[in-house]
Amino acid sequence: MKAIRLFFREHSAYLVFHALLTLFILSLYWLDGFRNVDTAVYSIVMVLILTTLFLSVRFIGRRGYYNRILRHPFKMEDLLIRTSKSPETSEAERFGHEVYGIYQKEVQALRAENERHETFMNQWVHQMKTPLSVISLLLQEEEVDREAIGEEADRIRRGLETVLLNARLGTFERDMQIARADLASLVREVISEHKKLFITNRVYPSSSIEEGLTVTTDPKWMKTIIAQFITNAVKYTRGEGKHVFFSADRTEDGIRLTVRDEGIGIPASDMKRVTHAFFTGENGRLTGESTGMGLFIAKEVCDQLGHGLEIESEPGEGTAVFVLFREKKEEGKEESHADRQH
């Protein structure tokens, strides 16, 4: 009964229009002097029969569609059932399937993000137990080693920063602020902020970036990425007196920043996966402190900012990370250069 009521509600305007059209035609015949009542009655009966047949056939063709949309759905897959036979309902079903596909992609993305966040938080909480335990033991000693406590506090601080970065990735577009920045000053600031990390591990920064090289980026996020490169470089550098080198050069596509260390390098088998979430590789398993999120976050941020990120490494020789700040060519400068050539 619900299907019949819905059908007549959908075709009510059609029935009213058809009735008015029939009355209009009969009125024309009447005004033209045609007075045969039997013919008029016959015409009305034939219109009713033909209209009833047409609506009956149309209802039979759409009954399955009506029954499907009127029943209570139990799952999203109910939207994918095909029952329509008319062009209109077929298009409606096609549209519904496309919307369902978009919905599925969004749900899968949200689920993956939630699972990534949950996994990361579980790993991070587990890793933070170590520095907290060390601090607790140090505080029980008669002479408190403030330097050792400071190192453990720095480990906790860096871990908290990584957690915040992971949380902010979901709202990156709202947090992003693009501006022109001096690359040498940017790197210098990050090195200064990590001065204690360099001193503690007896690893020395060496920057040869020339002054005046400006890049288009988000300075805050870029400092975070460089800080991650520094943390990795120092973490995987064995022995005293080693260096982390910072340099920049111009290429055809823009300005390329290079951060190169003299660490243990990355095995060739791990190179393709170092930017995957939670991938720690052989080196990460050796240290036991890696979350596998640092380079993943760096890659995500570079992609969002439109920067290229490449990594080259030779086991035992060190690792080099390249960030390419792409620059659009200025048409005016190109034209003026062409004019000078002419």
Side-chain angles (χ1 to χ4, degrees):
M1 291 300 295
K2 288 184 178 180
I4 295 175
R5 286 198 297 269
L6 178 60
F7 178 79
F8 278 107
R9 282 168 55 192
E10 182 183 1
H11 291 81
S12 58
Y14 170 81
L15 291 171
V16 172
F17 173 77
H18 212 67
L20 292 175
L21 182 61
T22 302
L23 291 175
F24 176 73
I25 293 174
L26 291 176
S27 299
L28 286 179
Y29 279 107
W30 180 268
L31 294 174
D32 197 40
F34 186 77
R35 298 292 190 274
N36 193 328
V37 178
D38 293 337
T39 304
V41 172
Y42 175 75
S43 301
I44 293 173
V45 171
M46 289 302 298
V47 167
L48 290 174
I49 293 174
L50 293 174
T51 301
T52 302
L53 288 173
F54 170 78
L55 293 177
S56 298
V57 173
R58 186 170 176 80
F59 175 75
I60 292 171
R62 296 170 66 90
R63 181 172 52 187
Y65 176 73
Y66 288 138
N67 290 333
R68 181 166 69 87
I69 64 175
L70 287 171
R71 73 184 181 190
H72 182 73
F74 294 97
K75 53 186 178 180
M76 280 296 297
E77 284 71 14
D78 291 341
L79 186 66
L80 303 179
I81 300 175
R82 292 186 177 275
T83 57
S84 62
K85 296 181 181 180
S86 67
E88 177 189 354
T89 53
S90 295
E91 284 298 308
E93 288 185 349
R94 179 197 59 78
F95 179 78
H97 291 179
E98 292 183 0
V99 171
Y100 178 79
I102 296 173
Y103 161 79
Q104 281 290 86
K105 290 180 180 179
E106 292 180 351
V107 169
Q108 290 172 4
L110 287 173
R111 184 180 294 128
E113 183 177 348
N114 288 335
E115 289 178 355
R116 186 189 73 201
H117 182 70
E118 182 179 355
T119 303
F120 174 65
M121 289 302 299
N122 290 335
Q123 289 184 358
W124 180 80
V125 170
H126 179 72
Q127 289 183 353
M128 287 303 103
K129 291 179 180 179
T130 302
L132 287 174
S133 299
V134 173
I135 291 174
S136 179
L137 291 172
L138 289 172
L139 290 174
Q140 293 176 14
E141 297 180 358
E142 294 183 1
E143 294 184 4
V144 177
D145 189 342
R146 294 181 179 274
E147 184 177 350
I149 292 177
E151 291 177 9
E152 299 303 322
D154 284 340
R155 288 176 60 186
I156 296 175
R157 178 183 58 78
R158 289 194 296 271
L160 284 171
E161 289 176 352
T162 306
V163 171
L164 292 174
L165 288 174
N166 184 59
R168 285 162 53 194
L169 279 179
T171 59
F172 182 85
E173 293 182 357
R174 284 180 289 176
D175 190 52
M176 182 172 58
Q177 293 183 351
I178 302 298
R180 296 290 291 177
D182 183 78
L183 190 56
S185 300
L186 204 65
V187 171
R188 210 163 32 239
E189 289 177 21
V190 183
I191 292 174
S192 177
E193 291 172 2
H194 291 75
K195 181 168 56 178
K196 187 175 181 180
L197 178 67
F198 283 113
I199 295 173
T200 302
N201 291 274
R202 292 178 174 82
V203 177
Y204 305 101
S206 175
S207 177
S208 59
I209 302 175
E210 63 180 87
E211 299 291 337
L213 280 179
T214 58
V215 295
T216 302
T217 186
D218 184 315
K220 183 175 68 175
W221 277 102
M222 200 62 232
K223 286 170 66 176
T224 301
I225 293 174
I226 298 172
Q228 184 59 54
F229 297 157
I230 291 175
T231 302
N232 283 353
V234 174
K235 183 193 302 182
Y236 297 113
T237 296
R238 301 287 184 267
E240 298 180 7
K242 297 293 183 70
H243 291 78
V244 178
F245 300 95
F246 300 85
S247 61
D249 59 287
R250 293 186 180 274
T251 67
E252 294 181 356
D253 298 319
I255 296 174
R256 184 178 64 174
L257 169 67
T258 302
V259 180
R260 183 171 60 85
D261 62 53
E262 296 178 319
I264 59 179
I266 302 172
S269 58
D270 292 346
M271 282 298 295
K272 293 183 178 180
R273 295 182 291 170
V274 291
T275 57
H276 293 185
F278 307 115
F279 180 76
T280 55
E282 294 182 17
N283 294 339
R285 287 189 289 271
L286 289 174
T287 62
E289 299 180 3
S290 176
T291 61
M293 292 295 290
L295 289 178
F296 166 76
I297 292 174
K299 183 68 166 63
E300 289 289 308
V301 172
C302 283
D303 288 345
Q304 292 282 353
L305 293 174
H307 304 331
L309 177 64
E310 294 182 4
I311 302 173
E312 293 180 0
S313 185
E314 187 70 30
E317 299 294 329
T319 302
V321 183
F322 307 95
V323 178
L324 177 62
F325 300 90
R326 297 185 176 91
E327 293 184 344
K328 295 181 179 179
K329 295 181 179 180
E330 299 181 16
E331 296 181 359
K333 290 184 178 180
E334 291 182 353
E335 290 177 0
S336 61
H337 179 68
D339 290 339
R340 286 195 297 270
Q341 288 182 332
H342 287 301

